[in-house]
């Protein structure tokens, strides 16, 4: 066979495809390129794609002519070998094509495609030194707000466009819009710094360089230096105020290249020096710390089972301190963005500017920065505090992984694919990097606890609160009985209201928990029984009284509140159930003089509103805080005397095999917000089923018994951890077709798997006009999974080749939650 003179690379594309693709490169490119670098290629009809190099070779592809690449994007790999190993695992375990894994793992702006939309970043317009092409793009974006790359492709040609856009992204002027909904906008501050050119220079020379009549500029500079001397970063706002000069003069100084602006997220101000000493551990905390350290040497994950407020976080801090002294990186995972604000403050005080924060709601620019800082082992990202997507960062020198509140469901990614479980992947990272991993929880997941019983993990227990504060006193309130005795007011038992009153009088704060937002979740006609439902989904509409709307919480549909029943025409619409809005309303009426605030996804839509509500509560400006589960996750408030759970039954009777576990975790977690420092707090749980076994265990804080009961049940019913589950979610607009598709899959799977359940309706059988069916496979966990997964992919491949099922979408959920 004749040898060719040609050079090729195989790349992975961020698409729903299992194959790699071969492109041609010249010798120079071939020598330069490395695995993990990005290249721009065209794919299909004129579509531009960012691709990642996976292999270099000299073999001409057999079935197609290899196209040349357009250009090379990176000068060094942005994905390292540790990550390749992780990505490979995620792809095969969660049955997701490698390109989609990479797309989910990397910050959006790394993987531009023709379909990608672009937007200007704030403040982009002021930036100088653009090439003509770059300027054209900026101009187009000023005019149209959003432009997709395809349109620019027509303007600049396929060859050039990615280069231009990537440069603009690098310069921080433009961002891509894969995730348009950046709901949580971190607060930013603008700081000023002296340009490098003048640093360390003679200050007189600088002043002389100003023209004689530039008095205002002089004032600004003087003030700048005096602020700088205080050893603090110079805030733009402050500088303008204190110098008494105007924005115009400051702009001139910036224009002259003397000062320049830095915008930074308030969560990650990189200037702040550590201002607090690390706390000394108590004797029992110290014992636990030593135990953890010696267990780490055994190369197994360690589970820290510590009651709420026992000082788990303080122990993490001590561990982190050790690791960063060795110059290694730390990944600190938390379940929710909401948690980070408080924690960032706490950690920054100790570790100063060695902390970066990373989660999907951060702007792409910031995520990109953190990614690169981690890649380049920068000190500013030595400790990364992250939500679940943090496991994908390019760590090279990982020394410790912490998974806080390891039982939390938000570690599971729901959308888009891959539907990974970050806690499980953290354990994988531990193996890949040979780095210790610590899982922490007051109420561990049944799976993790099971793993300690099977000696796969080690475990340590910390069963007392710091400072000997007692666990809160928990009281179950029987609503059925209270109603019979006419001892209720609104949705509250009278003794609960009395307890709130007392707590307020003692100048303590109250948290009221109800896991439903809105005013009332059901609107029903008293005469004909008609329930107002979403026209697109099979759910009832929730009343939002303040906005005077009925809303669907699944698709966002909303409509005016009807006066008459649309079916029988009678004015008898009645509202049932309780949401946070109603509770806030009622409490405000019962406690006229109290400040009642609310924390749920309705009140936290705006910029910074989350942090704002929390800080008001923390500063005791708020007396009563009503909220959904958003407020229970590990927040540390000093002055909470009472926690009220409006209705535990919603949790207890949720149709899921994990309902008991979840209820216990949620209730213990909520309870844990009470009396964290100094005095013992109180918790009151309202229910119609006071004898429910889970409530009895909550009363005694008895995790051990909960675990025992659960594990027996799981074994009997063949649920995890005794089985592995793979759920197939089948969606189509046509009910008949949806059912047929589900039956087809069920039958095909039943040929080769023993336990195939369904098809059944999803919990919400229709969302956004699409019907949803489910088929569930249960596998013995011991069986080698890769083989079976290959088989599943084969079945799905056949399915997708059936023309009739073309419109049907199948989502695969491995280890569903
Ligand atoms: P957990 O993470 O287990 O819920 P935290 O670490 O948040 O507990 O500790 C609860 C509270 O007690 C925090 O306010 C924390 O600062 C304080 N605390 C814990 N350990 C110590 C210690 N050794 N010295 C001083 N304060 C401590
Ligand atoms: Zn809807």
């Amino acid at each position: 066979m004749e040898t060719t003179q040609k050079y090729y690379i195989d790349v992975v594309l961020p698409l729903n495809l299992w194959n790699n693709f071969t492109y041609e490169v010249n010798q120079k490119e071939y020598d330069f390129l490395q695995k993990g670098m990005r290249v721009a290629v065209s794919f299909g009809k004129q579509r531009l794609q960012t691709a990642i190099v996976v292999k270099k070779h000299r073999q001409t592809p057999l079935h197609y002519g290899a196209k040349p690449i357009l250009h090379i994007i990176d000068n060094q790999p942005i994905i390292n070998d540790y990550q390749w190993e992780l990505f490979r695992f995620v792809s095969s375990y969660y049955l997701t094509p490698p390109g989609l894994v990479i797309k989910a793992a990397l910050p959006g702006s790394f993987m531009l495609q023709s379909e990608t939309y672009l937007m200007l970043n704030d403040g982009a317009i002021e930036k100088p030194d653009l090439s003509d092409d770059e300027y054209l793009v900026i101009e187009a974006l000023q005019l149209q707000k959003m432009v997709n790359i395809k349109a620019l492709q027509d303007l600049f040609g396929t060859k050039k466009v990615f280069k231009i856009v990537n440069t603009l992204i690098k310069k921080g002027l433009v961002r891509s819009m894969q995730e348009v909904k950046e709901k949580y906008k971190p607060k930013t501050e603008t700081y000023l710094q002296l340009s490098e050119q003048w640093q360390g220079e003679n200050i007189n020379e600088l002043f002389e360089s100003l023209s004689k009549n530039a008095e205002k500029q002089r004032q600004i500079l003087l003030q700048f230096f005096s602020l700088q001397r205080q050893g603090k970063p110079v805030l733009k706002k402050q500088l303008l105020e204190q110098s008494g000069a105007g924005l115009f003069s400051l702009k001139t100084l910036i224009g002259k290249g003397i000062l320049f602006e830095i915008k930074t997220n308030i969560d990650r101000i990189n200037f702040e020096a550590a201002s607090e000493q690390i706390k000394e551990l108590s004797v029992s905390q110290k014992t636990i710390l030593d135990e953890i350290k010696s267990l780490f040497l055994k190369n197994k994950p360690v589970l820290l089972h510590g009651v709420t407020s026992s000082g788990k976080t303080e122990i993490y801090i001590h561990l982190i301190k050790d690791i960063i002294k060795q110059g290694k990186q730390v990944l600190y995972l938390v379940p929710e963005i909401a948690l980070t604000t408080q924690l960032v403050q706490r950690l920054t005080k100790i570790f100063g500017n060695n902390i970066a924060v990373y989660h999907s709601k951060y702007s792409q620019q910031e995520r990109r920065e953190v990614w690169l800082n981690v890649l380049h082992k920068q000190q500013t990202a030595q400790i990364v505090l992250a939500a679940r997507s943090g496991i994908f960062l390019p760590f090279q020198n990982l020394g410790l992984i912490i998974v806080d509140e390891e039982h939390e469901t938000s570690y599971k990614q729901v959308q888009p694919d891959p539907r990974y479980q970050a806690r499980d992947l953290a354990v994988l990272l531990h193996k890949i990097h040979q780095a210790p991993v610590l899982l922490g929880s007051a109420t561990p997941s049944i799976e993790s606890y099971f793993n300690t019983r099977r000696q796969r993990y080690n475990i340590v227990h910390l069963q007392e609160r710091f400072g000997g504060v007692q666990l809160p006193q928990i009281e179950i309130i029987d609503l059925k009985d209270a109603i019979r005795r006419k001892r209720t007011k609104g949705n509250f038992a009278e003794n609960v209201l009395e307890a709130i009153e007392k707590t307020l009088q003692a100048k303590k704060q109250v948290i009221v928990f109800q896991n439903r937002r809105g005013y009332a979740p059901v609107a029903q006609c008293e005469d004909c029984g008609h329930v107002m439902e979403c026209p697109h989904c099979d759910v009832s509409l929730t009343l939002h009284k303040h906005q005077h709307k009925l809303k669907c919480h699944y698709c966002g549909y909303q409509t005016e509140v009807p006066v008459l029943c649309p079916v029988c025409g009678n004015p008898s619409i009645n509202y049932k159930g309780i949401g946070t809005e109603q509770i806030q309303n009622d409490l405000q009426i019962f406690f006229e003089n109290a400040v009642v605030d609310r924390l749920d996804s309705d009140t936290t839509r705006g910029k910074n509103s989350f942090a704002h509500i929390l800080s008001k509560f923390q500063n005791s400006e708020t007396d009563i805080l009503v909220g959904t589960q958003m407020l229970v996750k590990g927040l540390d408030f000093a002055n909470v005397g009472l926690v009220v759970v409006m209705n535990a039954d919603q949790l207890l009777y949720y149709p899921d095999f994990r309902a008991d576990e979840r209820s216990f975790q949620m209730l213990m977690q909520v309870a844990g917000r009470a009396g964290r420092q100094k005095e013992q707090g109180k918790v009151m749980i309202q229910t119609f089923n006071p004898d429910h076994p889970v409530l009895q265990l909550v009363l005694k804080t008895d995790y051990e018994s909960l675990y025992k009961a659960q594990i027996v049940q799981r074994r009997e019913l063949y649920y995890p951890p005794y089985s592995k589950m793979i759920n197939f979610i089948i969606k189509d607009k046509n009910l008949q077709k949806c059912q047929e598709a589900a039956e087809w899959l069920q039958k095909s799977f039943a040929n080769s798997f023993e336990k195939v359940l369904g098809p059944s309706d999803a919990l919400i059988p229709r969302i956004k006009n699409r019907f949803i069916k489910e088929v569930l496979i249960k596998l013995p966990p011991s069986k080698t999974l890769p083989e079976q997964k290959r088989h599943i992919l084969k079945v799905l491949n056949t399915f997708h080749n059936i023309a009739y099922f073309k419109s049907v979408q199948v989502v695969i959920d491995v280890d569903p939650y």
Side-chain angles (χ1 to χ4, degrees):
M1 212 172 90
E2 206 182 324
T3 50
T4 69
Q5 289 306 312
K6 297 200 165 168
Y7 297 89
Y8 298 102
I9 54 169
D10 286 351
V11 300
V12 51
L13 293 162
L15 300 172
N16 193 8
L17 298 166
W18 282 87
N19 308 349
N20 290 336
F21 291 84
T22 305
Y23 283 83
E24 197 184 329
V25 291
N26 61 35
Q27 193 187 347
K28 241 171 95 189
E29 291 169 329
Y30 187 84
D31 291 339
F32 179 79
L33 281 169
Q34 295 173 47
K35 184 181 180 186
M37 284 185 179
R38 289 172 304 160
V39 291
V41 299
S42 70
F43 181 78
K45 278 205 185 100
Q46 286 289 302
R47 265 170 81 194
L48 273 177
Q49 293 289 349
T50 304
I52 308 251
V53 179
V54 287
K55 201 173 138 190
K56 309 202 282 185
H57 62 86
R58 309 286 303 266
Q59 277 142 5
T60 309
L62 291 175
H63 306 296
Y64 55 94
K67 285 195 259 181
I69 63 164
L70 299 171
H71 63 90
I72 298 172
I73 298 174
D74 298 309
N75 11 351
Q76 63 182 95
I78 57 160
I79 297 176
N80 66 33
D81 286 344
Y82 296 113
Q83 289 172 292
W84 284 116
E85 194 173 341
L86 174 68
F87 294 169
R88 217 170 12 245
F89 175 87
V90 172
S91 169
S92 76
Y93 188 84
Y94 293 104
L95 296 162
T96 304
L100 292 186
V101 173
I102 287 177
K103 193 175 174 184
L106 269 52
S109 65
F110 277 134
M111 300 302 282
L112 300 177
Q113 299 172 272
S114 286
E115 294 78 6
T116 311
Y117 275 85
L118 302 172
M119 248 182 108
L120 278 187
N121 269 336
D122 298 341
I125 308 122
E126 299 161 25
K127 295 273 171 138
D129 65 291
L130 297 176
S131 74
D132 290 352
D133 285 344
E134 289 164 15
Y135 188 75
L136 269 179
V137 175
I138 298 284
E139 209 175 42
L141 285 171
Q142 276 169 349
L143 278 172
Q144 298 183 31
K145 297 266 181 289
M146 260 166 64
V147 170
N148 79 7
I149 292 193
K150 213 177 216 121
L152 296 175
Q153 211 169 316
D154 296 339
L155 207 64
F156 298 105
T158 312
K159 196 108 190 135
K160 247 175 31 181
V161 64
F162 261 28
K163 232 181 218 156
I164 302 169
V165 172
N166 274 317
T167 319
L168 287 171
I169 289 176
K170 228 188 221 157
K171 289 184 178 172
L173 302 181
V174 164
R175 67 169 190 270
S176 66
M177 297 279 295
Q178 258 112 344
E179 305 124 77
V180 187
K181 290 171 246 112
E182 283 192 5
K183 249 202 231 156
Y184 168 88
K185 273 236 175 151
K187 192 169 164 196
T188 59
E189 295 273 28
T190 308
Y191 292 90
L192 289 161
Q193 280 205 331
L194 194 61
S195 70
E196 231 170 280
Q197 188 196 342
W198 291 104
Q199 267 168 32
E201 288 288 321
N202 191 335
I203 290 179
N204 287 336
E205 213 172 291
L206 171 57
F207 278 99
E208 276 161 25
S209 79
L210 299 175
S211 60
K212 289 248 146 42
N213 50 8
E215 195 44 45
K216 292 274 184 206
Q217 293 172 37
R218 233 178 291 268
Q219 278 172 23
I220 292 180
L221 280 179
L222 277 172
Q223 190 60 34
F224 176 85
F225 286 118
S226 105
L227 284 169
Q228 205 183 36
R229 225 168 292 133
Q230 295 166 17
K232 283 210 164 157
V234 178
L235 208 58
K236 181 176 176 183
K237 264 195 317 232
Q238 197 184 8
L239 180 63
L240 284 172
E241 259 170 40
Q242 301 188 0
S243 68
L247 193 59
F248 182 77
S249 312
L250 179 61
K251 284 234 161 106
T252 315
L253 284 172
I254 293 169
K256 285 183 182 163
I258 295 172
L259 293 178
F260 67 97
E261 290 187 356
I262 304 179
K263 268 208 178 75
T264 164
N265 188 312
I266 203 130
D267 279 352
R268 5 154 280 162
I269 301 169
N270 284 336
F271 304 104
E272 195 166 326
S275 60
E276 250 178 40
Q277 287 295 315
I278 190 161
K279 290 192 173 77
E280 203 169 311
L281 295 184
S282 69
V283 175
S284 49
Q285 287 172 339
K286 181 81 178 53
T287 313
I288 293 292
L289 177 71
D290 292 342
E291 213 175 316
I292 291 172
K293 282 193 200 163
S294 69
L295 286 173
F296 276 165
L297 299 176
K298 300 193 171 168
N299 279 328
K300 284 184 193 173
V302 177
L303 176 64
L304 168 55
H305 178 209
V307 293
T308 51
S309 210
S310 55
K312 292 187 289 298
T313 314
E314 296 300 334
I315 290 176
Y316 303 155
I317 291 174
H318 278 259
L319 286 168
I320 294 172
K321 189 104 188 168
D322 271 4
I323 299 297
I324 63 168
K325 247 194 248 151
Q326 302 165 27
K328 293 190 180 158
Q329 297 170 313
V330 175
L331 172 61
Y332 188 152
L333 289 176
V334 289
E336 196 100 349
I337 299 128
L339 261 176
T340 54
T341 321
Q342 233 190 10
L343 199 55
V344 170
Q345 286 167 3
R346 200 163 152 189
L347 294 176
T348 319
K349 282 187 191 141
I350 309 282
F351 297 112
N353 58 10
N354 285 10
I355 296 185
V357 178
Y358 187 82
H359 56 64
S360 63
K361 298 281 166 54
Y362 259 30
S363 81
Q364 290 191 12
Q365 184 63 17
E366 284 161 328
R367 280 204 287 156
R368 185 187 173 88
E369 239 174 70
V370 175
W371 183 283
L372 294 175
N373 285 341
V374 171
L375 183 70
H376 299 141
K377 294 195 265 181
Q378 296 291 320
Q379 222 181 26
T380 50
Q382 204 178 352
I383 307 164
V384 183
L385 183 65
R388 58 173 180 263
S389 56
I391 46 149
F392 292 122
L393 284 165
F395 295 104
Q396 303 212 45
N397 187 19
L398 197 57
L400 173 66
I401 308 157
I402 292 167
V403 185
D404 193 21
E405 312 287 354
E406 64 86 27
H407 63 278
E408 278 290 345
T409 51
S410 36
Y411 281 122
K412 170 84 178 178
Q413 159 96 342
V414 179
Q415 245 174 354
D417 290 351
R419 299 188 163 211
Y420 62 91
Q421 182 9 305
R423 179 237 298 147
D424 296 349
L425 292 181
V427 170
L428 180 70
L429 278 188
H430 138 82
K431 290 191 188 126
I432 296 178
H433 286 267
Q434 297 291 311
V437 61
L438 180 65
L439 313 178
S441 175
T443 51
S445 63
I446 299 294
E447 279 87 346
S448 293
Y449 213 73
F450 180 75
N451 281 330
T452 69
R453 289 294 163 93
R454 291 283 162 108
Q455 272 79 47
R456 291 186 203 120
Y457 295 180
N458 283 308
I459 185 164
V460 289
H461 301 273
L462 186 54
Q463 294 304 22
E464 62 183 43
R465 286 187 144 188
F466 173 72
V469 177
Q470 286 190 319
L471 282 168
Q473 173 205 345
I474 301 173
E475 212 177 301
I476 307 277
I477 309 296
D478 183 353
L479 278 179
K480 223 170 15 194
D481 178 63
I483 289 172
R484 200 173 30 111
R485 289 187 299 117
K486 299 206 165 50
R487 300 291 306 267
T488 58
K489 207 168 146 194
N491 298 302
F492 293 85
E494 276 176 4
N495 49 349
V496 171
L497 291 176
E498 282 158 19
I500 295 178
E501 175 86 60
K502 257 205 186 131
T503 310
L504 295 178
Q505 274 167 5
K507 298 270 178 268
K508 299 223 151 231
Q509 292 167 295
V510 180
I511 285 179
V512 179
F513 172 75
Q514 169 71 351
N515 214 5
R516 252 196 174 138
R517 63 196 170 91
Y519 192 89
V522 180
Q524 186 174 28
C525 173
E526 292 280 82
D527 276 320
C528 74
H530 174 71
V531 173
M532 312 296 153
E533 286 194 341
C534 174
H536 312 296
C537 311
D538 287 343
V539 290
S540 64
L541 293 169
T542 297
L543 172 67
H544 286 243
K545 197 174 183 182
H546 183 68
Q547 296 171 312
H548 212 68
K549 290 262 164 41
L550 293 181
K551 288 189 187 180
C552 171
H553 286 180
Y554 286 84
C555 72
Y557 168 86
Q558 50 177 329
T559 176
E560 292 299 315
V561 173
V563 183
L564 306 175
C565 171
V567 173
C568 70
N570 288 320
S572 340
I573 294 173
N574 195 14
Y575 295 94
K576 298 188 173 154
I578 26 172
T580 44
E581 189 186 341
Q582 182 176 168
I583 295 167
Q584 184 188 19
N585 230 17
D586 291 354
L587 285 170
Q588 195 63 80
I589 295 166
F590 300 149
F591 303 99
E592 256 181 303
N593 299 320
V595 179
V596 187
D597 205 352
R598 172 159 61 98
L599 187 80
D600 58 27
S601 55
D602 291 321
T603 61
T604 50
R605 252 164 234 208
K607 234 184 178 179
N608 308 319
S609 41
F610 189 91
H612 186 66
I613 295 170
L614 282 187
S615 76
K616 264 174 45 189
F617 191 68
Q618 212 158 8
N619 301 336
S620 294
E621 289 165 50
T622 307
D623 300 310
I624 306 177
L625 186 59
V626 180
T628 57
Q629 57 176 342
M630 276 180 118
L631 64 67
V632 310
K633 300 193 177 172
L635 297 167
D636 185 23
F637 302 115
N639 193 35
V640 176
L642 172 67
V643 171
V644 177
V645 176
M646 287 306 290
N647 186 347
D649 303 344
Q650 259 171 40
L651 301 171
L652 295 167
Y653 293 96
Y654 193 79
D656 183 274
F657 76 93
R658 285 196 173 90
D660 282 0
E661 180 190 356
R662 289 280 149 72
S663 311
F664 183 84
Q665 288 163 344
M666 183 92 88
L667 291 170
M668 290 314 304
Q669 210 68 27
V670 180
R673 299 317 101 203
R676 286 175 68 81
Q677 291 164 18
K678 295 179 233 133
E679 288 150 77
Q680 187 186 25
K682 189 178 170 108
V683 179
M684 299 177 103
I685 301 173
Q686 300 197 126
T687 173
F688 284 93
N689 301 277
D691 298 326
H692 195 288
V694 170
L695 291 180
Q696 293 307 314
L697 295 177
V698 167
L699 269 182
K700 293 182 280 184
T701 319
D702 188 355
Y703 175 80
E704 208 63 39
S705 301
L706 176 94
Y707 173 78
K708 278 191 198 126
Q710 282 306 296
I711 210 73
V712 169
Q713 228 180 55
R714 303 271 177 103
R715 185 168 22 194
E716 274 169 10
L717 301 174
Y718 198 47
Y719 277 121
Y722 289 97
S723 69
K724 279 252 163 214
M725 304 203 302
I726 304 178
N727 195 23
F728 297 83
I729 303 154
I730 299 122
K731 304 180 185 177
D732 197 81
K733 289 206 162 140
N734 181 320
L735 177 59
Q736 171 82 14
K737 192 185 279 190
C738 188
Q739 177 68 21
E740 286 174 41
E743 278 169 16
W744 190 99
L745 284 170
Q746 190 273 333
K747 287 208 182 85
S748 310
F749 290 140
N751 285 332
S752 25
F753 297 104
E754 225 170 283
K755 292 248 188 273
V756 183
L757 283 71
S760 57
D761 280 346
L763 188 57
I764 313 280
R766 186 179 56 123
I767 295 176
K768 294 186 190 170
N769 287 322
R770 293 208 294 173
F771 295 92
I772 309 171
K773 302 275 174 192
E774 292 180 347
V775 171
L776 183 74
I777 301 182
K778 284 185 179 177
L779 300 163
S782 54
K783 275 260 172 80
T784 43
L785 282 172
E787 210 174 291
Q788 303 184 325
K789 287 186 174 164
R790 264 196 297 281
H791 181 72
I792 289 172
L793 286 178
K794 232 186 256 164
V795 171
L796 283 175
N797 197 29
T798 312
F799 175 83
H800 287 302
N801 282 327
I802 299 172
Y804 174 66
F805 290 139
K806 202 158 182 284
S807 62
V808 180
Q809 191 198 355
V810 181
V811 179
I812 312 170
D813 194 357
V814 178
D815 303 337
Y817 260 57

